[in-house]
Amino acid sequence: EVQLVESGGGLVQAGGSLRLSCAASGFTFDDYAIGWFRQAPGKERERVSCINSRARIIYYADSVKGRFTISSDNAKNTVYLQMNSLKPEDTAVYYCAALDYCSRYDRNYDYWGQGTQVTVSS
């Protein structure tokens, strides 16, 4: 069974940090890129970051560049999103998703996690 499970969300004050985890199972992890998306109420789902370890490609949205860091621990089949200097506008449900490349289009991704809530208070 294919599974992607996000964890690490929560409530944090502006300026604080969180580290999200995406644990994968049921597919060949090394053959896939892992993207992070977020969706805030009333807004379109937004691609935040993506990592393709095999191709050595990393992507960040302009809105998070310099504040968020994506990394992959292939031995653990886990991708992390370290989020620093959090802002209220980062509040959203964060999802990880798997595809064999870092597509900009969420509709292309094969597998999705259930999401984890991140709330940043001012």
Side-chain angles (χ1 to χ4, degrees):
E1 180 185 358
V2 172
Q3 283 193 303
L4 293 171
V5 180
E6 301 96 335
S7 61
L11 176 64
V12 65
Q13 290 186 316
S17 297
L18 287 171
R19 189 176 77 157
L20 305 184
S21 298
C22 174
S25 61
F27 63 96
T28 305
F29 182 81
D30 292 347
D31 290 342
Y32 281 80
I34 301 294
W36 284 98
F37 294 79
R38 66 186 182 187
Q39 189 162 29
K43 292 190 175 182
E44 297 284 332
R45 188 155 52 192
E46 173 190 16
R47 185 170 66 141
V48 175
S49 188
C50 190
I51 184 166
N52 184 335
S53 295
R54 181 181 58 82
R56 298 188 179 274
I57 291 171
I58 288 177
Y59 164 84
Y60 297 103
D62 287 345
S63 58
V64 307
K65 196 171 297 180
R67 300 188 296 121
F68 291 10
T69 303
I70 192 169
S71 62
S72 180
D73 186 340
N74 288 12
K76 296 182 178 179
N77 287 1
T78 300
V79 167
Y80 304 96
L81 186 68
Q82 178 68 45
M83 305 186 295
N84 298 327
S85 302
L86 283 162
K87 304 174 181 180
E89 51 262 46
D90 295 318
T91 295
V93 177
Y94 284 71
Y95 302 88
C96 64
L99 188 66
D100 60 356
Y101 69 101
C102 283
S103 176
R104 67 183 294 181
Y105 302 112
D106 56 356
R107 64 181 179 269
N108 288 345
Y109 285 77
D110 292 324
Y111 310 121
W112 289 85
Q114 82 292 340
T116 186
Q117 177 71 48
V118 171
T119 303
V120 184
S121 62
S122 60

